[in-house]
Amino acid sequence: TLFGKIRSIGKSTLVMDDQVMDEVLVKAELIQSFEKEIMGLYYQLTLVNGQEVKGTMIKRYKEGLDLETEHLGIISLSNYEITEMKVIEQKNVRGGQYWFANPNNTRYFFAPSAMNLRKGEGYYQNSYILANSVNYGLTNYFSIGGMVVLPIAALLTPKLGFRVTDRLHLGAGCIVGILPDPSVAGIAYGLATYGSAEHNLTLGTGMFFFEGQLENRPIITVNGMTRISRRLALVTENWIVPLSRYTYENGVEEMEDYYYTAISYGMRLMSERITFDFALINSKDIVEFLIIGFLVAALLKGAAAKAKATAP
């Protein structure tokens, strides 16, 4: 990494006045990238020890620079300590604070959005200690994952996701479970997500299958997320599920099909790498004796970090 003023750029070489080695001539084929430094912009610096530091550059001198950070105040760094510098877009800096990207835009509490993990990203999720899942992006469009619910079942969760426009994503996948019987059951689903990673709404529909038999009525989900502060988002996940029940009329027993609706609402506490979800579930039956609903989700999730542990 070189720091200095670029004197000239040719087809095959770049000449610069380096702040340490004076005049330097660099072959173009050896240059990976270069950026113009501007006072007052927000930067992310990677140091030789692997630490990342973020802040506003307030002074640049021959041997290094001064950075005004959120938690450490003004710090001075020498050129020898810095391995990489990149500007953080102004839209991600609000009130002098860095708003990291939503680390879990691919999932609500349990249901997925149509947004997909990028290649090399993955996360681990835990719910109530007994339910543990992992997901990993094999490509920018396809991820694979699994969940173990002790001691009940093991689930496989492949998923496809594509960005159609800046605000529309489409996806499809399935949840395949192996039950203790043993028997195989699951849900094949499709998704449409509208919005950004910070504020979005997802409509999903799926068909339940069991031992080769496909349910003839779809499951419908309507889920949403909105980020209201740097570390807090509101999340809702709602299910409309086909069920059947026996009814008796004039002494005759009949099977009746109907849909049951369950709604959930809660919050997501966020950091750059880890989120914690807390949610309540409610329905027309639950509200009769507990108006706020039952606790349904307490989820800890190590989020969408690249396999090489760099920020997404």
Side-chain angles (χ1 to χ4, degrees):
T1 302
L2 304 175
F3 298 96
K5 294 183 178 180
I6 295 176
R7 180 182 299 176
S8 64
I9 300 176
K11 291 184 177 180
S12 59
T13 59
L14 177 147
V15 180
M16 66 179 292
D17 292 326
D18 183 70
Q19 295 175 346
V20 177
M21 298 182 290
D22 298 323
E23 182 176 306
V24 177
L25 186 148
V26 185
K27 292 182 179 180
E29 63 192 45
L30 301 179
I31 300 172
Q32 183 180 51
S33 65
F34 63 87
E35 285 192 25
K36 182 179 180 180
E37 297 175 359
I38 301 176
M39 294 301 105
L41 287 189
Y42 209 87
Y43 284 86
Q44 175 177 296
L45 279 62
T46 303
L47 308 184
V48 292
N49 62 5
Q51 181 183 359
E52 291 182 352
V53 181
K54 301 179 183 68
T56 303
M57 188 190 300
I58 58 174
K59 187 177 181 181
R60 164 54 98 175
Y61 40 92
K62 183 175 182 179
E63 295 81 15
L65 56 85
D66 290 343
L67 201 70
E68 185 173 6
T69 67
E70 180 183 349
H71 300 294
L72 303 176
I74 297 175
I75 61 174
S76 298
L77 296 168
S78 72
N79 294 331
Y80 297 107
E81 296 178 89
I82 304 168
T83 61
E84 183 182 8
M85 291 180 61
K86 65 179 182 180
V87 176
I88 293 178
E89 295 183 32
Q90 288 301 299
K91 67 180 182 180
N92 294 329
V93 182
R94 308 179 192 180
Q97 292 185 321
Y98 168 56
W99 280 46
F100 47 84
N102 183 346
N104 274 319
N105 61 305
T106 63
R107 186 168 295 275
Y108 299 96
F109 297 127
F110 297 102
S113 74
M115 298 177 184
N116 206 47
L117 292 169
R118 289 179 292 179
K119 182 179 181 180
E121 291 180 344
Y123 66 79
Y124 161 76
Q125 175 177 312
N126 176 268
S127 177
Y128 296 127
I129 306 299
L130 298 178
N132 296 271
S133 65
V134 294
N135 282 271
Y136 182 77
L138 294 177
T139 73
N140 289 338
Y141 312 104
F142 179 72
S143 62
I144 188 72
M147 173 185 286
V148 176
V149 183
L150 299 174
I152 303 170
L155 306 173
L156 188 65
T157 56
K159 174 188 160 188
L160 284 166
F162 301 92
R163 186 175 71 173
V164 180
T165 68
D166 286 343
R167 301 189 67 81
L168 179 63
H169 291 73
L170 298 179
C174 64
I175 303 170
V176 182
I178 302 175
L179 306 176
D181 299 38
S183 57
V184 176
I187 301 171
Y189 62 82
L191 302 164
T193 298
Y194 182 79
S196 66
E198 312 294 350
H199 312 279
N200 56 71
L201 182 69
T202 295
L203 176 64
T205 183
M207 300 295 290
F208 179 77
F209 59 87
F210 177 77
E211 289 294 295
Q213 299 296 316
L214 190 67
E215 169 68 42
N216 59 7
R217 293 177 297 150
I219 299 169
I220 300 170
T221 61
V222 181
N223 311 314
M225 174 194 308
T226 185
R227 188 171 181 176
I228 60 173
S229 72
R230 182 169 179 255
R231 296 190 178 275
L232 181 64
L234 301 180
V235 184
T236 180
E237 185 173 306
N238 310 288
W239 294 74
I240 304 172
V241 183
L243 297 175
S244 299
R245 61 189 169 196
Y246 287 105
T247 62
Y248 296 87
E249 186 173 347
N250 298 324
V252 179
E253 181 182 74
E254 293 183 351
M255 180 70 74
E256 176 188 55
D257 294 332
Y258 70 104
Y259 273 95
Y260 191 83
T261 299
I263 64 174
S264 69
Y265 32 83
M267 63 184 66
R268 172 167 292 169
L269 303 177
M270 300 186 292
S271 67
E272 289 190 60
R273 302 288 187 186
I274 297 174
T275 64
F276 179 81
D277 295 346
F278 176 89
L280 299 171
I281 189 172
N282 217 327
S283 69
K284 65 178 182 180
D285 298 318
I286 297 174
V287 76
E288 291 180 359
F289 57 91
L290 189 60
I291 193 168
I292 65 170
F294 282 129
L295 174 67
V296 69
L299 307 173
L300 180 67
K301 188 181 297 183
K306 291 259 186 194
K308 60 181 181 181
T310 60

